[in-house]
Amino acid sequence: MRVVVVGGVAGGMSAATRMRRLDESAEIVVFERGPEVSYANCGLPYYVGGTIADRSSLLLQTPASLHRRFRLDVRVRHEVVRIDTATKSLDVVDLDTGLRSTEAYDKLILAPGARPRRDEPTSTIPTLSLRTVDDADRIHRALVHAAVPVVVVGGGYTGLEAVENLVARGARVTLVQRGGQLLSPLDVEMAAPIAAAVRERGVDVRLGAQIARIEDGAVILDDGTAIPAELVIDASGVVPESQLAVDAGLRIGETGGIWVDETCRTSDPDVLAVGDGVEKQELIAGESTLVTMAGLANRHGRMVADIIAGRAETARPALGTGIVKVFDIVAAKAGWSEKQLRAAGREFYIVHVHPVSHAGYYPGAETLSMKLLADPASDRILGAQIVGRDGVDKRIDVIATAMHAGLPAAELAQLELAYAPQFGSAKDAVNFLGYVAENTRTGTTPTVQWHELDAALASGATLVDVRTASEFAAGAIPGAVNVPLDELREHIDELPGGPLVVHCQVGLRGHLATRILTQRGLAVRNLDGGYRTWRDGTAAS
Amino acid sequence: MRVVVVGGVAGGMSAATRMRRLDESAEIVVFERGPEVSYANCGLPYYVGGTIADRSSLLLQTPASLHRRFRLDVRVRHEVVRIDTATKSLDVVDLDTGLRSTEAYDKLILAPGARPRRDEPTSTIPTLSLRTVDDADRIHRALVHAAVPVVVVGGGYTGLEAVENLVARGARVTLVQRGGQLLSPLDVEMAAPIAAAVRERGVDVRLGAQIARIEDGAVILDDGTAIPAELVIDASGVVPESQLAVDAGLRIGETGGIWVDETCRTSDPDVLAVGDGVEKQELIAGESTLVTMAGLANRHGRMVADIIAGRAETARPALGTGIVKVFDIVAAKAGWSEKQLRAAGREFYIVHVHPVSHAGYYPGAETLSMKLLADPASDRILGAQIVGRDGVDKRIDVIATAMHAGLPAAELAQLELAYAPQFGSAKDAVNFLGYVAENTRTGTTPTVQWHELDAALASGATLVDVRTASEFAAGAIPGAVNVPLDELREHIDELPGGPLVVHCQVGLRGHLATRILTQRGLAVRNLDGGYRTWRDGTAAS
């Protein structure tokens, strides 16, 4: 059997090596357009920034090492330019010699990846992406002196990693983001602390801005602002490299990615496809989507080898789990955001909590901001977002595992997680999130969201701040009256008769106040996530 | 309604505060024998060691603060000495005045906790446990000068935390452990690196040793060795404080803990019980067990308030998830160990892997040692153990969540965990564990365990070390022949015809070698976990 793989990075190389492990006798050929295979693309920003000092540590394998260990026939700088599914053959151009040849396959695995969405602008300023070792090398070389002015376009995962590492190299960085917030997979109140942390490091963050044109030495925004730039990093997004599949007559999905079934077979059963060039089914609504994550590419790459070897495997629906660290802040998500659910007209309830990353009595505990979205009827978890400094990765992984398994939101309270004071709390942050979810869904404590507060107050509700007098004095929501929780029972008769909204700093004392007042017959709701979520949300809006 | 709580630390106080949140009108009385309520008992070792500098940070609440916020009637230094379930009353002694009174209850919540297993030895050397603030204060005071000789009895979670913190205070520490390994919830090959790490810090670790007697200035072991000691810390285990329940005629389980049903009701429906004094149902075999973990105490405490308030809740079976950090090594487990499964006659298969805590190309990646035990028929996960320096807590929490949800071992490979190079790998350690589990269970790569190797070699198998020549030279398993993996295909004809065992450093190259050789028709098994697991296991045996 001759198996041909097009694309030799994450998904393609996972497929080729697993294929060998399952079949010593197969002939396995890998064509890669670029000069390197199997490089650590998620490490590229850190090579630019200097955290990864040794360029060779990015290069995980070479054609020679892959031949020695796996007997793979890896041909770099070979571009596949045409696939003929009728004759099961493809045309390949050797980019060094220009020679064109035809290669036969029994099974073909496409792992073409994605390319930057933007066309190369005509500009005298270098405009680079950060997807290949060559990109990273060129950025490295462009940072020729201290304080090189650089514009990064796009405030997503890659853009934020680029910003951190350019700052580490001493560059003067402007981050231009089309939308009104950074990290658009998150909701606005969750993303707000990220913009604040990035600005704190001296980065000029321009939200709601687009590049109109690039001039010599400057990027001109659509509002006319000229930003000095000697280098532009394009992290504005990618599109699937699907042209080869299009030309071959393979089915393309509505997203523009190569269509595949749950075994990663394309519309031609002898052609399988994986990675950023392929559309996936996602978990929440079963929709087709583009998720450009290395983990999925690797997993599906391995799976197509299993499929070719005759094993019964299917791809699991994608959660879209993602994480990014920028300076000392970490943000992560899984599933859908509130704005996605709202746009899709889905029913959902929301929980914001701000627990500590480990026992508060042990040094180094940091506050986490967590948001959970769940279905009010089934309690199915629809999405989670976490922002903090420590312990973010652990909590998103636990919630992603719960989502994968279909655990309801309230069941998060029941997880028996490992507790020692360095790592968590007797009630871990995830347990706490589950308890608050249950209190919210069952109506034990009705809540109001930060973006619903104005409407609630406009319709006559009174806002009661149950924090201490000193917290109130240090910054309060306009219109709030201050009745500290520990004095609330004595002052109930002084509260107005109409509906109440109570709040504290993070939501816990507000919950206690809501319980006290509800049992006295008052109509009361707790401001979900407290002052902190309200402050983050309103600051960003 | 009058709710009386006996015991005011983790479980009791969770019950009392949740009770108030659900019922503003209930009268809630808490009796606590000690001088403090709601203290951070898991923080006590770190107060002794100085990591927690401020003693007051251990004291999370006071009777006054609990009255202000929750209207609880908390009476410290009040010992409940008798319960009369017929009249629904109890006798209480005020330990300061000696006055005895009788208190009525509608619902009674017992949270008596556990006490050290050993009787107080008659000795001139102070022998202290580490369960109360008073214990910690006394240890603090006993460390009067540098290099105080201290004997810690018991190498479990608490003993190891005590050791670390005594060393931090400059004490000369000997750790005496009855069994042949530290941290008995783990299997011997997993625990071996912990003993090594502790010894590296100058601690005299005595395994398989018991204390015969304590003399003036010395502890005498059963082999006659005299160990100088000015202080003995007893961390040899605890037993449930069940006498009050026994005397009240409540049912006691076979474990010696108070028997409760899945709602934490005792044999008297108006008496509920939670925490270390109570036996729990565990997940793997549904057996009754004693698990003394703060998380369960808190969770069940909260639940009994829900039960009393008429909510339908049930306790989930306990996983026994645990974690401990000692110096720079972290060890964690969930579910059952190999020795437990073996003793119970259960069918199981074993996987050892040693992946990195995050992408190897990013600085700071540390090797994790992971062990998984699963049912060969159903693939149900029966237990997991993880030892390492970074990322241990995350992986045990993900696996505990998977176990809670009933995910099979192979499904660990499918979890979509968050990947950025600081936090994990495109194939996370947990994914990798799932892949190896699948390869093992399906027979894709048959394995042999470190403790089965001698028998395999004795019955005629040849051991082939597929590491490089320099790895082989640096330390090899006796009797192994060295054929580096990348040269294996050329040397297949030179291998003996009989059964083979192959191995590498951690198991991955051995897996590749097994795949190559199996497909050539040879009878071959891979040494699970490679040289590293074999070395840890044999060093400890």
Side-chain angles (χ1 to χ4, degrees), chain B residues 480-528:
Chain B
V481 296
N482 183 219
V483 185
L485 174 62
D486 289 346
E487 300 160 25
L488 182 62
R489 289 182 181 87
E490 289 84 352
H491 292 88
I492 287 177
D493 296 340
E494 299 156 33
L495 294 171
L500 300 173
V501 173
V502 298
H503 85 87
C504 63
Q505 186 66 17
V506 297
L508 180 57
R509 284 171 292 171
H511 163 58
L512 302 179
T514 305
R515 293 301 307 150
I516 292 169
L517 298 172
T518 301
Q519 294 185 62
R520 301 291 182 101
L522 298 174
V524 54
R525 289 184 291 168
N526 184 27
L527 179 62
D528 185 47

Side-chain angles (χ1 to χ4, degrees), chain A residues 21 24 319 321 416 515, chain B residues 21 319 321 416 515 519:
Chain A
R21 294 197 294 276
E24 268 291 291
L319 267 175
T321 313
E416 197 182 325
R515 294 299 308 151
Chain B
R21 294 197 293 277
L319 267 175
T321 313
E416 197 181 327
R515 293 301 307 150
Q519 294 185 62

Side-chain angles (χ1 to χ4, degrees), chain B residues 299-511:
Chain B
R299 178 169 303 125
H300 296 159
R302 188 179 189 278
M303 188 188 78
V304 292
D306 282 2
I307 295 290
I308 291 172
R311 297 185 170 212
E313 297 282 350
T314 55
R316 305 300 186 277
L319 267 175
T321 313
I323 192 165
V324 64
K325 178 175 182 296
V326 53
F327 303 114
D328 58 351
I329 201 163
V330 181
K333 56 79 64 170
W336 283 24
S337 64
E338 178 180 349
K339 59 191 166 193
Q340 266 182 292
L341 292 166
R342 200 175 296 286
R346 297 276 300 224
E347 291 288 309
F348 58 90
Y349 73 91
I350 306 173
V351 174
H352 291 89
V353 296
H354 304 276
V356 283
S357 58
H358 65 243
Y361 61 80
Y362 191 91
E366 300 273 3
T367 301
L368 294 162
S369 289
M370 307 175 82
K371 179 175 187 174
L372 193 79
L373 299 146
D375 185 289
S378 66
D379 208 22
R380 180 185 179 205
I381 304 170
L382 302 174
Q385 299 166 44
I386 312 179
V387 178
R389 282 160 215 281
D390 177 55
V392 171
D393 58 324
K394 176 164 73 173
R395 276 50 180 234
I396 202 70
D397 277 0
V398 167
I399 296 172
T401 303
M403 292 176 75
H404 184 103
L407 295 184
E411 197 67 17
L412 295 178
Q414 305 293 340
L415 297 176
E416 197 181 327
L417 304 172
Y419 167 48
Q422 303 92 341
F423 305 108
S425 304
K427 284 190 187 101
D428 186 79
V430 171
N431 298 144
F432 185 71
L433 184 63
Y435 282 134
V436 178
E438 187 181 36
N439 284 333
T440 304
R441 188 170 84 96
T442 60
T444 300
T445 280
T447 57
V448 58
Q449 292 300 313
W450 67 271
H451 53 66
E452 299 167 338
L453 182 62
D454 282 350
L457 300 184
S459 68
T462 303
L463 181 63
V464 181
D465 182 340
V466 301
R467 298 177 302 167
T468 63
S470 62
E471 288 175 285
F472 183 75
I477 300 176
V481 296
N482 183 219
V483 185
L485 174 62
D486 289 346
E487 300 160 25
L488 182 62
R489 289 182 181 87
E490 289 84 352
H491 292 88
I492 287 177
D493 296 340
E494 299 156 33
L495 294 171
L500 300 173
V501 173
V502 298
H503 85 87
C504 63
Q505 186 66 17
V506 297
L508 180 57
R509 284 171 292 171
H511 163 58

